[in-house]
Amino acid sequence: MRVRFTAEIDVEGLSEFAVPEAYQERHEIFQSLLWHKYTAREISDYLNKLGYRTPRGGTYYPKLVGATISKLRRRRKSVKVTGPKVSKLTFWLKA
């Protein structure tokens, strides 16, 4: 007996976005400081004091911190963690 089938699988959203490992620690610092109600100026001062550099090697400033925070929030909003859903499943049995 042979069994043959086809399946159509739909994915309803994006998976978690992957943050490059080099930026992971920095993003966690951003999230922690935001949770503690730090302003963009305070975050930029903090990162600069710790010696963090921007991806291009510069120092942080409030406007850049604000843009980074905005980007992180947009990414988080656009992420829907859903699994695949089988929308159609067909079997054929042949003896």
Side-chain angles (χ1 to χ4, degrees):
M1 175 190 281
R2 292 185 339 185
V3 177
R4 190 174 129 204
F5 69 94
T6 61
E8 290 182 25
I9 300 173
D10 295 324
V11 178
E12 293 184 349
L14 305 170
S15 60
E16 279 288 333
F17 69 91
V19 175
E21 201 170 310
Y23 303 149
Q24 186 70 42
E25 182 180 357
R26 193 174 341 180
H27 285 197
E28 289 172 7
I29 291 171
F30 270 84
Q31 295 299 335
S32 175
L33 295 176
L34 283 171
W35 190 83
H36 284 93
K37 308 288 188 207
Y38 276 53
T39 65
R41 176 168 300 286
E42 291 169 327
I43 293 172
S44 64
D45 290 344
Y46 184 83
L47 291 170
N48 290 328
K49 282 180 190 174
L50 290 179
Y52 281 96
R53 293 287 180 212
T54 66
R56 292 187 176 182
T59 57
Y60 281 93
Y61 50 93
K63 191 171 183 178
L64 176 61
V65 169
T68 303
I69 290 167
S70 177
K71 188 182 292 184
L72 289 172
R73 286 183 177 153
R74 268 193 321 243
R75 284 182 180 171
R76 295 254 181 247
K77 280 184 181 179
S78 70
V79 172
K80 294 181 196 174
V81 181
T82 59
K85 182 172 88 175
V86 176
S87 61
K88 184 177 178 182
L89 191 58
T90 309
F91 286 93
W92 291 276
L93 297 174
K94 189 172 186 175

Coordinates of all heavy atoms in Angstrom, one line a residue:
M1 N 0.9 -1.2 0.0 CA 0.0 0.0 0.0 C 0.9 1.2 0.0 O 1.9 1.3 0.7 CB -0.9 0.0 1.2 CG -1.7 1.3 1.3 SD -2.6 1.5 2.9 CE -4.0 0.5 2.7
R2 N 0.5 2.2 -0.8 CA 1.3 3.5 -0.9 C 0.3 4.6 -0.4 O -0.8 4.6 -0.8 CB 1.8 3.8 -2.3 CG 2.8 2.8 -2.7 CD 3.5 3.1 -4.0 NE 2.7 3.9 -5.0 CZ 3.1 4.2 -6.2 NH1 4.2 3.6 -6.7 NH2 2.3 4.9 -7.0
V3 N 0.9 5.5 0.3 CA 0.2 6.7 0.7 C 0.9 7.9 0.1 O 2.1 8.1 0.3 CB 0.1 6.8 2.2 CG1 -0.6 8.1 2.7 CG2 -0.5 5.6 2.8
R4 N 0.1 8.8 -0.5 CA 0.7 10.0 -1.0 C -0.2 11.1 -0.5 O -1.4 11.0 -0.4 CB 0.6 9.9 -2.5 CG 1.4 11.0 -3.2 CD 1.4 10.8 -4.7 NE 0.9 12.1 -5.3 CZ 0.4 12.2 -6.5 NH1 0.2 11.2 -7.2 NH2 0.1 13.4 -6.9
F5 N 0.4 12.2 -0.1 CA -0.3 13.4 0.3 C 0.3 14.7 -0.1 O 1.5 14.7 -0.4 CB -0.6 13.3 1.8 CG 0.7 13.6 2.6 CD1 1.0 14.8 3.1 CD2 1.5 12.5 3.0 CE1 2.1 15.0 3.9 CE2 2.6 12.7 3.7 CZ 2.9 14.0 4.2
T6 N -0.5 15.7 -0.1 CA 0.0 17.1 -0.3 C -0.5 17.9 0.9 O -1.5 17.6 1.4 CB -0.5 17.7 -1.6 OG1 -1.9 17.8 -1.6 CG2 0.0 16.9 -2.8
A7 N 0.3 19.0 1.2 CA -0.1 19.9 2.3 C 0.2 21.3 1.9 O 1.2 21.5 1.3 CB 0.6 19.5 3.6
E8 N -0.7 22.2 2.2 CA -0.5 23.6 2.0 C -0.4 24.2 3.4 O -1.2 24.0 4.2 CB -1.7 24.2 1.2 CG -1.7 23.8 -0.2 CD -2.9 24.5 -1.0 OE1 -3.3 25.6 -0.5 OE2 -3.3 23.9 -2.0
I9 N 0.7 24.9 3.6 CA 1.0 25.5 4.9 C 1.0 27.0 4.8 O 1.8 27.5 4.0 CB 2.3 24.9 5.5 CG1 2.1 23.4 5.6 CG2 2.6 25.6 6.8 CD1 3.4 22.7 6.1
D10 N 0.3 27.7 5.6 CA 0.3 29.1 5.6 C 1.0 29.6 6.9 O 0.8 29.0 7.9 CB -1.2 29.7 5.7 CG -1.9 29.4 4.4 OD1 -1.3 29.3 3.3 OD2 -3.2 29.1 4.5
V11 N 1.7 30.7 6.8 CA 2.3 31.3 7.9 C 1.7 32.7 8.1 O 1.7 33.5 7.2 CB 3.9 31.4 7.7 CG1 4.5 32.1 8.9 CG2 4.5 30.0 7.5
E12 N 1.2 32.9 9.3 CA 0.4 34.1 9.5 C 1.2 35.2 10.3 O 0.8 35.6 11.3 CB -0.9 33.8 10.3 CG -1.9 33.0 9.5 CD -3.1 32.8 10.4 OE1 -3.1 33.1 11.5 OE2 -4.1 32.3 9.8
G13 N 2.3 35.6 9.8 CA 3.1 36.6 10.5 C 4.6 36.4 10.4 O 5.0 35.5 9.8
L14 N 5.3 37.3 11.1 CA 6.7 37.2 11.1 C 7.2 36.4 12.3 O 6.5 36.4 13.3 CB 7.3 38.6 11.1 CG 6.9 39.5 10.0 CD1 7.3 40.9 10.3 CD2 7.4 39.1 8.6
S15 N 8.3 35.9 12.2 CA 8.9 35.3 13.4 C 9.7 36.4 14.1 O 9.9 37.5 13.6 CB 9.8 34.1 13.0 OG 10.9 34.6 12.2
E16 N 10.2 36.1 15.3 CA 11.0 37.1 16.0 C 12.2 37.6 15.1 O 12.8 36.8 14.5 CB 11.6 36.4 17.3 CG 10.7 36.4 18.4 CD 10.4 37.7 19.1 OE1 11.3 38.6 19.0 OE2 9.3 37.9 19.6
F17 N 12.4 38.8 15.1 CA 13.5 39.3 14.4 C 14.8 39.0 15.1 O 14.9 39.0 16.3 CB 13.4 40.8 14.1 CG 13.5 41.7 15.3 CD1 14.8 42.2 15.6 CD2 12.5 42.1 16.0 CE1 14.9 43.0 16.7 CE2 12.6 42.9 17.1 CZ 13.8 43.4 17.5
A18 N 15.8 38.7 14.4 CA 17.1 38.4 15.0 C 18.0 39.6 15.1 O 18.2 40.3 14.1 CB 17.8 37.3 14.2
V19 N 18.4 39.9 16.3 CA 19.3 41.0 16.5 C 20.7 40.4 16.4 O 21.1 39.4 17.0 CB 19.1 41.6 17.9 CG1 20.2 42.7 18.2 CG2 17.7 42.2 18.0
P20 N 21.6 41.0 15.6 CA 23.0 40.6 15.5 C 23.6 40.5 16.9 O 23.4 41.4 17.7 CB 23.7 41.6 14.6 CG 22.6 42.2 13.8 CD 21.4 42.2 14.7
E21 N 24.4 39.5 17.1 CA 25.0 39.3 18.4 C 25.8 40.5 18.9 O 25.8 40.8 20.1 CB 25.9 38.0 18.3 CG 26.2 37.4 19.7 CD 26.9 36.1 19.6 OE1 26.4 35.2 18.8 OE2 27.9 36.0 20.3
A22 N 26.4 41.2 18.0 CA 27.2 42.4 18.3 C 26.4 43.5 18.9 O 26.8 44.3 19.7 CB 28.0 42.9 17.1
Y23 N 25.1 43.5 18.6 CA 24.2 44.6 19.1 C 23.3 44.1 20.2 O 22.6 44.9 20.8 CB 23.3 45.1 17.9 CG 24.0 45.6 16.7 CD1 23.5 45.5 15.5 CD2 25.2 46.2 16.8 CE1 24.1 46.0 14.3 CE2 25.9 46.7 15.7 CZ 25.4 46.6 14.5 OH 26.0 47.1 13.4
Q24 N 23.3 42.8 20.5 CA 22.3 42.3 21.5 C 22.5 42.9 22.8 O 21.5 43.4 23.4 CB 22.6 40.7 21.6 CG 21.6 40.1 22.5 CD 20.2 40.0 21.9 OE1 20.1 39.7 20.7 NE2 19.2 40.2 22.7
E25 N 23.7 43.0 23.3 CA 23.9 43.6 24.7 C 23.5 45.1 24.7 O 22.8 45.5 25.6 CB 25.4 43.5 25.0 CG 25.7 44.1 26.4 CD 27.2 44.0 26.7 OE1 28.0 43.4 25.9 OE2 27.6 44.5 27.8
R26 N 23.8 45.8 23.7 CA 23.4 47.2 23.6 C 21.9 47.4 23.6 O 21.3 48.2 24.2 CB 24.0 47.8 22.3 CG 24.0 49.3 22.2 CD 24.7 49.8 21.0 NE 25.6 48.8 20.5 CZ 26.4 48.9 19.5 NH1 26.4 50.0 18.8 NH2 27.2 48.0 19.0
H27 N 21.2 46.5 22.8 CA 19.7 46.6 22.8 C 19.1 46.3 24.1 O 18.1 46.9 24.5 CB 19.2 45.7 21.7 CG 19.4 46.2 20.3 ND1 18.7 45.8 19.2 CD2 20.2 47.2 19.8 CE1 19.1 46.4 18.2 NE2 20.0 47.3 18.5
E28 N 19.7 45.3 24.8 CA 19.2 45.0 26.2 C 19.4 46.2 27.1 O 18.6 46.5 28.0 CB 20.0 43.8 26.7 CG 19.5 42.5 26.0 CD 20.3 41.3 26.4 OE1 21.2 41.4 27.3 OE2 20.1 40.2 25.8
I29 N 20.6 46.9 27.0 CA 20.8 48.1 27.8 C 19.7 49.2 27.5 O 19.1 49.8 28.4 CB 22.2 48.7 27.6 CG1 23.2 47.7 28.2 CG2 22.3 50.1 28.2 CD1 24.7 48.1 27.8
F30 N 19.4 49.4 26.2 CA 18.4 50.3 25.8 C 17.1 50.0 26.4 O 16.4 50.8 27.0 CB 18.2 50.3 24.2 CG 19.0 51.2 23.5 CD1 20.3 50.9 23.1 CD2 18.5 52.4 23.0 CE1 21.1 51.7 22.3 CE2 19.3 53.3 22.3 CZ 20.6 53.0 21.9
Q31 N 16.7 48.7 26.4 CA 15.4 48.3 26.9 C 15.4 48.5 28.4 O 14.4 48.9 29.0 CB 15.2 46.8 26.6 CG 15.0 46.5 25.1 CD 13.8 47.2 24.5 OE1 12.8 47.6 25.2 NE2 13.8 47.4 23.2
S32 N 16.5 48.1 29.1 CA 16.5 48.3 30.6 C 16.4 49.8 31.0 O 15.7 50.1 31.9 CB 17.8 47.7 31.1 OG 17.9 47.9 32.5
L33 N 17.2 50.6 30.3 CA 17.1 52.0 30.6 C 15.8 52.7 30.3 O 15.3 53.5 31.0 CB 18.2 52.8 29.9 CG 19.7 52.4 30.3 CD1 20.7 53.1 29.5 CD2 19.9 52.6 31.8
L34 N 15.1 52.2 29.2 CA 13.8 52.7 28.9 C 12.8 52.3 30.0 O 11.9 53.1 30.4 CB 13.3 52.2 27.6 CG 13.9 52.8 26.3 CD1 13.6 52.1 25.1 CD2 13.5 54.3 26.2
W35 N 13.0 51.1 30.4 CA 12.1 50.6 31.5 C 12.2 51.4 32.8 O 11.3 51.6 33.5 CB 12.4 49.1 31.8 CG 11.3 48.5 32.6 CD1 10.1 47.9 32.3 CD2 11.4 48.3 34.1 NE1 9.5 47.4 33.4 CE2 10.3 47.6 34.5 CE3 12.4 48.6 35.0 CZ2 10.0 47.3 35.8 CZ3 12.2 48.2 36.3 CH2 11.0 47.6 36.7
H36 N 13.4 51.9 33.0 CA 13.7 52.7 34.2 C 13.4 54.2 33.9 O 13.8 55.1 34.7 CB 15.2 52.5 34.6 CG 15.4 51.2 35.4 ND1 15.8 50.1 34.7 CD2 15.2 50.9 36.7 CE1 15.9 49.1 35.6 NE2 15.5 49.5 36.8
K37 N 12.8 54.5 32.8 CA 12.3 55.8 32.4 C 13.5 56.8 32.2 O 13.4 58.0 32.4 CB 11.4 56.4 33.5 CG 10.3 55.6 33.9 CD 9.2 55.5 32.8 CE 8.0 54.8 33.4 NZ 7.3 54.2 32.3
Y38 N 14.6 56.3 31.6 CA 15.7 57.2 31.2 C 15.3 58.0 30.0 O 14.6 57.4 29.1 CB 17.0 56.4 30.9 CG 17.8 56.1 32.1 CD1 17.3 55.4 33.2 CD2 19.2 56.4 32.1 CE1 18.0 55.1 34.3 CE2 20.0 56.0 33.2 CZ 19.4 55.4 34.3 OH 20.2 55.1 35.4
T39 N 15.7 59.2 29.8 CA 15.5 60.0 28.6 C 16.5 59.6 27.6 O 17.5 58.9 27.9 CB 15.6 61.5 28.9 OG1 16.9 61.8 29.3 CG2 14.6 61.9 30.0
A40 N 16.3 60.0 26.3 CA 17.3 59.8 25.3 C 18.7 60.4 25.6 O 19.7 59.8 25.3 CB 16.8 60.3 23.9
R41 N 18.7 61.5 26.2 CA 19.9 62.2 26.6 C 20.7 61.4 27.7 O 21.9 61.1 27.6 CB 19.7 63.6 27.1 CG 21.0 64.2 27.6 CD 20.9 65.7 27.8 NE 20.5 66.5 26.7 CZ 21.3 66.8 25.7 NH1 22.6 66.3 25.6 NH2 20.9 67.5 24.7
E42 N 19.9 60.9 28.6 CA 20.5 60.1 29.7 C 21.1 58.8 29.2 O 22.1 58.3 29.6 CB 19.5 59.8 30.8 CG 19.1 61.0 31.6 CD 17.9 60.8 32.5 OE1 17.0 60.1 32.2 OE2 17.9 61.5 33.6
I43 N 20.3 58.2 28.2 CA 20.8 56.9 27.6 C 22.1 57.2 26.8 O 23.0 56.4 26.9 CB 19.7 56.3 26.7 CG1 18.5 55.8 27.6 CG2 20.2 55.1 25.9 CD1 17.3 55.4 26.8
S44 N 22.1 58.2 26.0 CA 23.3 58.5 25.2 C 24.5 58.8 26.1 O 25.6 58.3 25.9 CB 23.1 59.7 24.3 OG 22.8 60.9 24.9
D45 N 24.3 59.5 27.2 CA 25.4 59.8 28.2 C 25.9 58.5 28.8 O 27.1 58.3 28.9 CB 24.9 60.8 29.2 CG 24.7 62.2 28.7 OD1 25.2 62.5 27.6 OD2 24.1 63.0 29.5
Y46 N 24.9 57.7 29.2 CA 25.3 56.4 29.8 C 26.1 55.5 28.9 O 27.2 55.0 29.3 CB 24.0 55.7 30.2 CG 24.2 54.4 31.0 CD1 24.4 54.4 32.3 CD2 24.1 53.2 30.3 CE1 24.6 53.2 33.0 CE2 24.3 52.0 31.0 CZ 24.5 52.0 32.4 OH 24.7 50.8 33.0
L47 N 25.6 55.3 27.6 CA 26.4 54.5 26.7 C 27.8 55.1 26.4 O 28.7 54.3 26.3 CB 25.6 54.4 25.4 CG 24.3 53.6 25.5 CD1 23.5 53.7 24.2 CD2 24.6 52.1 25.7
N48 N 27.9 56.4 26.2 CA 29.2 57.0 26.0 C 30.1 56.8 27.2 O 31.3 56.5 27.0 CB 29.0 58.5 25.6 CG 28.3 58.7 24.3 OD1 28.5 57.9 23.4 ND2 27.6 59.7 24.2
K49 N 29.6 56.9 28.4 CA 30.4 56.7 29.6 C 31.0 55.3 29.6 O 32.1 55.1 30.1 CB 29.6 57.0 30.9 CG 29.5 58.5 31.2 CD 28.7 58.7 32.4 CE 28.4 60.2 32.6 NZ 27.5 60.4 33.7
L50 N 30.2 54.3 29.2 CA 30.6 52.9 29.2 C 31.5 52.6 28.1 O 32.0 51.5 28.0 CB 29.4 52.0 29.2 CG 28.5 52.0 30.5 CD1 27.4 51.0 30.3 CD2 29.4 51.6 31.7
G51 N 31.7 53.5 27.1 CA 32.6 53.3 26.0 C 31.9 52.6 24.8 O 32.6 52.2 23.9
Y52 N 30.6 52.6 24.8 CA 30.0 52.0 23.6 C 30.1 52.9 22.5 O 30.0 54.2 22.6 CB 28.5 51.7 23.9 CG 28.2 50.5 24.7 CD1 28.1 50.5 26.1 CD2 28.2 49.2 24.1 CE1 27.9 49.4 26.8 CE2 28.0 48.1 24.8 CZ 27.8 48.2 26.2 OH 27.6 47.0 26.9
R53 N 30.2 52.4 21.3 CA 30.3 53.2 20.0 C 29.1 52.8 19.2 O 28.6 51.7 19.2 CB 31.6 52.9 19.3 CG 32.8 53.4 20.0 CD 32.8 54.9 19.9 NE 34.0 55.5 20.6 CZ 33.9 56.7 21.2 NH1 32.8 57.4 21.2 NH2 35.0 57.1 21.8
T54 N 28.7 53.7 18.3 CA 27.6 53.4 17.4 C 28.2 52.4 16.3 O 29.4 52.2 16.3 CB 27.2 54.7 16.6 OG1 28.3 55.1 15.8 CG2 26.8 55.8 17.6
P55 N 27.3 51.8 15.6 CA 27.8 50.8 14.6 C 28.8 51.4 13.6 O 29.6 50.7 13.1 CB 26.5 50.4 13.8 CG 25.4 50.6 14.8 CD 25.8 51.8 15.7
R56 N 28.7 52.8 13.4 CA 29.7 53.4 12.5 C 30.9 54.0 13.3 O 31.8 54.7 12.7 CB 29.1 54.6 11.8 CG 28.0 54.1 10.8 CD 27.5 55.2 10.0 NE 26.6 54.7 8.9 CZ 26.1 55.4 8.0 NH1 26.3 56.7 8.0 NH2 25.3 54.9 7.1
G57 N 31.0 53.7 14.6 CA 32.2 54.1 15.4 C 32.1 55.4 16.1 O 33.1 55.8 16.7
G58 N 31.0 56.1 16.0 CA 30.8 57.4 16.6 C 30.3 57.3 18.0 O 30.2 56.2 18.6
T59 N 30.1 58.5 18.6 CA 29.5 58.5 20.0 C 27.9 58.7 19.8 O 27.4 59.1 18.8 CB 30.0 59.7 20.8 OG1 29.8 60.9 20.0 CG2 31.5 59.5 21.0
Y60 N 27.3 58.3 20.9 CA 25.8 58.4 20.9 C 25.4 59.8 21.2 O 26.0 60.5 22.0 CB 25.2 57.4 21.9 CG 25.2 56.0 21.4 CD1 26.2 55.1 21.6 CD2 24.1 55.6 20.6 CE1 26.1 53.8 21.1 CE2 24.0 54.3 20.1 CZ 25.1 53.4 20.4 OH 25.0 52.2 19.8
Y61 N 24.3 60.2 20.6 CA 23.6 61.5 20.9 C 22.1 61.3 21.0 O 21.6 60.3 20.5 CB 24.0 62.6 19.9 CG 23.8 62.2 18.4 CD1 22.7 62.5 17.8 CD2 24.8 61.5 17.8 CE1 22.5 62.1 16.4 CE2 24.7 61.1 16.5 CZ 23.5 61.4 15.8 OH 23.3 61.0 14.5
P62 N 21.4 62.2 21.7 CA 20.0 61.9 21.9 C 19.1 61.6 20.7 O 18.3 60.7 20.7 CB 19.5 63.2 22.6 CG 20.7 63.7 23.3 CD 21.9 63.4 22.3
K63 N 19.4 62.3 19.6 CA 18.5 62.1 18.4 C 18.8 60.7 17.9 O 17.8 60.0 17.4 CB 18.9 63.1 17.3 CG 17.9 63.1 16.2 CD 18.1 64.3 15.3 CE 17.1 64.3 14.2 NZ 17.3 65.5 13.3
L64 N 20.0 60.2 17.9 CA 20.3 58.8 17.4 C 19.7 57.8 18.3 O 19.1 56.8 17.9 CB 21.8 58.6 17.4 CG 22.3 57.2 17.0 CD1 21.8 56.8 15.6 CD2 23.8 57.1 17.0
V65 N 19.7 58.0 19.6 CA 19.1 57.1 20.6 C 17.6 57.1 20.4 O 17.0 56.0 20.3 CB 19.4 57.6 22.1 CG1 18.5 56.8 23.0 CG2 20.9 57.4 22.4
G66 N 17.0 58.2 20.1 CA 15.5 58.3 19.8 C 15.2 57.5 18.6 O 14.2 56.8 18.6
A67 N 16.0 57.6 17.5 CA 15.7 56.9 16.3 C 15.9 55.4 16.5 O 15.1 54.6 16.0 CB 16.7 57.4 15.2
T68 N 16.9 55.0 17.3 CA 17.1 53.6 17.6 C 15.9 53.0 18.4 O 15.4 51.9 18.1 CB 18.4 53.4 18.4 OG1 19.5 53.9 17.6 CG2 18.7 51.9 18.6
I69 N 15.4 53.8 19.4 CA 14.3 53.3 20.2 C 13.1 53.2 19.3 O 12.3 52.2 19.4 CB 14.0 54.3 21.3 CG1 15.2 54.3 22.3 CG2 12.7 54.1 22.0 CD1 15.2 55.4 23.3
S70 N 12.9 54.2 18.4 CA 11.7 54.1 17.5 C 11.8 52.9 16.6 O 10.8 52.2 16.4 CB 11.7 55.4 16.7 OG 10.7 55.3 15.7
K71 N 13.0 52.6 16.1 CA 13.1 51.4 15.3 C 12.9 50.1 16.0 O 12.2 49.2 15.5 CB 14.5 51.4 14.7 CG 14.8 50.3 13.6 CD 16.2 50.4 13.2 CE 16.5 51.6 12.4 NZ 17.9 51.6 11.8
L72 N 13.4 50.0 17.2 CA 13.2 48.8 18.1 C 11.7 48.6 18.3 O 11.1 47.5 18.3 CB 13.9 48.9 19.4 CG 15.4 48.8 19.3 CD1 16.1 49.1 20.6 CD2 15.8 47.4 18.8
R73 N 11.0 49.7 18.6 CA 9.5 49.6 18.9 C 8.7 49.2 17.7 O 7.8 48.4 17.8 CB 9.0 50.9 19.4 CG 9.4 51.2 20.9 CD 8.8 52.5 21.4 NE 9.2 52.7 22.8 CZ 9.3 53.8 23.4 NH1 9.1 54.9 22.7 NH2 9.7 53.9 24.6
R74 N 9.1 49.8 16.5 CA 8.4 49.4 15.3 C 8.6 47.9 15.0 O 7.7 47.2 14.6 CB 8.9 50.2 14.1 CG 8.2 51.4 13.8 CD 8.5 52.0 12.5 NE 10.0 51.8 12.3 CZ 10.8 52.8 12.1 NH1 10.4 54.1 12.2 NH2 12.1 52.6 12.0
R75 N 9.8 47.4 15.2 CA 10.1 46.0 14.9 C 9.3 45.1 15.9 O 8.7 44.1 15.5 CB 11.6 45.7 15.1 CG 12.4 46.2 14.0 CD 13.9 45.8 14.3 NE 14.7 46.2 13.2 CZ 16.1 46.1 13.3 NH1 16.7 45.7 14.3 NH2 16.8 46.5 12.2
R76 N 9.2 45.5 17.2 CA 8.5 44.7 18.1 C 7.0 44.7 17.8 O 6.4 43.6 17.9 CB 8.7 45.2 19.5 CG 10.1 45.1 20.0 CD 10.2 44.1 21.1 NE 11.6 44.0 21.6 CZ 12.4 43.0 21.3 NH1 12.0 41.9 20.6 NH2 13.6 43.0 21.8
K77 N 6.5 45.8 17.3 CA 5.0 45.8 17.0 C 4.7 45.0 15.7 O 3.7 44.4 15.6 CB 4.6 47.3 16.7 CG 4.3 48.1 17.9 CD 3.8 49.4 17.5 CE 3.5 50.3 18.7 NZ 3.0 51.6 18.4
S78 N 5.7 44.9 14.8 CA 5.4 44.2 13.6 C 5.6 42.7 13.7 O 5.2 41.9 12.8 CB 6.3 44.7 12.4 OG 7.7 44.3 12.7
V79 N 6.1 42.3 14.8 CA 6.4 40.8 15.0 C 5.1 40.2 15.6 O 4.6 40.6 16.6 CB 7.6 40.6 16.0 CG1 7.7 39.2 16.3 CG2 8.8 41.1 15.3
K80 N 4.7 39.2 14.9 CA 3.6 38.3 15.4 C 4.2 36.9 15.5 O 4.6 36.4 14.5 CB 2.4 38.3 14.5 CG 1.7 39.6 14.3 CD 0.5 39.3 13.3 CE 0.0 40.6 12.8 NZ -1.0 40.4 11.8
V81 N 4.3 36.4 16.6 CA 4.8 35.1 16.8 C 3.7 34.1 16.6 O 2.9 33.9 17.6 CB 5.6 34.9 18.1 CG1 6.2 33.5 18.2 CG2 6.6 35.9 18.3
T82 N 3.6 33.5 15.5 CA 2.5 32.5 15.2 C 3.2 31.3 14.5 O 4.2 31.5 13.8 CB 1.4 33.0 14.3 OG1 1.9 33.4 13.1 CG2 0.7 34.2 15.0
G83 N 2.7 30.2 14.8 CA 3.2 29.0 14.1 C 2.5 28.8 12.8 O 1.6 29.5 12.4
P84 N 3.1 27.9 12.0 CA 2.5 27.5 10.7 C 1.1 26.9 10.9 O 0.8 26.3 11.9 CB 3.4 26.6 10.1 CG 4.2 26.0 11.2 CD 4.2 27.0 12.3
K85 N 0.2 27.1 10.0 CA -1.1 26.6 10.0 C -1.4 25.8 8.7 O -1.2 26.3 7.6 CB -2.1 27.7 10.2 CG -3.6 27.3 10.3 CD -4.5 28.4 10.6 CE -4.9 29.1 9.4 NZ -5.9 30.2 9.6
V86 N -1.8 24.6 8.9 CA -2.1 23.8 7.7 C -3.5 24.2 7.2 O -4.5 24.1 7.9 CB -2.1 22.3 8.0 CG1 -2.5 21.4 6.8 CG2 -0.7 21.8 8.5
S87 N -3.6 24.6 6.0 CA -4.8 25.1 5.4 C -5.5 24.1 4.6 O -6.7 24.1 4.4 CB -4.7 26.4 4.6 OG -3.8 26.2 3.6
K88 N -4.7 23.1 4.0 CA -5.3 22.1 3.1 C -4.5 20.9 3.2 O -3.2 20.9 3.1 CB -5.4 22.6 1.7 CG -6.1 21.7 0.8 CD -6.1 22.3 -0.6 CE -6.8 21.4 -1.6 NZ -6.8 21.9 -3.0
L89 N -5.1 19.8 3.4 CA -4.4 18.5 3.5 C -5.1 17.5 2.7 O -6.3 17.3 2.9 CB -4.3 18.1 5.0 CG -3.4 16.9 5.4 CD1 -1.9 17.2 5.0 CD2 -3.4 16.7 6.9
T90 N -4.5 16.8 1.8 CA -5.1 15.9 0.9 C -4.4 14.5 0.9 O -3.1 14.6 0.8 CB -5.2 16.4 -0.6 OG1 -5.7 17.7 -0.6 CG2 -6.0 15.5 -1.4
F91 N -5.1 13.4 1.1 CA -4.4 12.1 1.1 C -4.9 11.3 -0.1 O -6.1 11.4 -0.4 CB -4.8 11.3 2.4 CG -4.1 11.8 3.6 CD1 -4.6 12.8 4.4 CD2 -2.8 11.3 3.9 CE1 -4.0 13.2 5.5 CE2 -2.1 11.8 5.0 CZ -2.7 12.7 5.9
W92 N -4.1 10.4 -0.6 CA -4.5 9.5 -1.6 C -3.9 8.1 -1.1 O -2.8 8.0 -0.8 CB -3.8 9.8 -3.0 CG -4.4 11.0 -3.7 CD1 -5.5 11.0 -4.4 CD2 -3.8 12.3 -3.6 NE1 -5.6 12.3 -4.9 CE2 -4.6 13.1 -4.4 CE3 -2.6 12.8 -3.1 CZ2 -4.3 14.4 -4.6 CZ3 -2.4 14.1 -3.3 CH2 -3.2 14.9 -4.0
L93 N -4.8 7.1 -1.1 CA -4.4 5.8 -0.8 C -4.5 4.9 -2.0 O -5.4 5.0 -2.8 CB -5.3 5.2 0.3 CG -5.3 5.9 1.7 CD1 -6.4 5.3 2.5 CD2 -4.0 5.8 2.3
K94 N -3.4 4.2 -2.2 CA -3.4 3.3 -3.4 C -3.0 1.9 -2.9 O -1.9 1.7 -2.3 CB -2.4 3.9 -4.4 CG -2.4 3.2 -5.7 CD -1.6 3.9 -6.7 CE -1.7 3.3 -8.1 NZ -1.0 4.0 -9.1
A95 N -3.8 1.0 -3.2 CA -3.5 -0.4 -2.8 C -2.7 -1.1 -3.8 O -2.6 -0.8 -4.9 CB -4.8 -1.2 -2.6

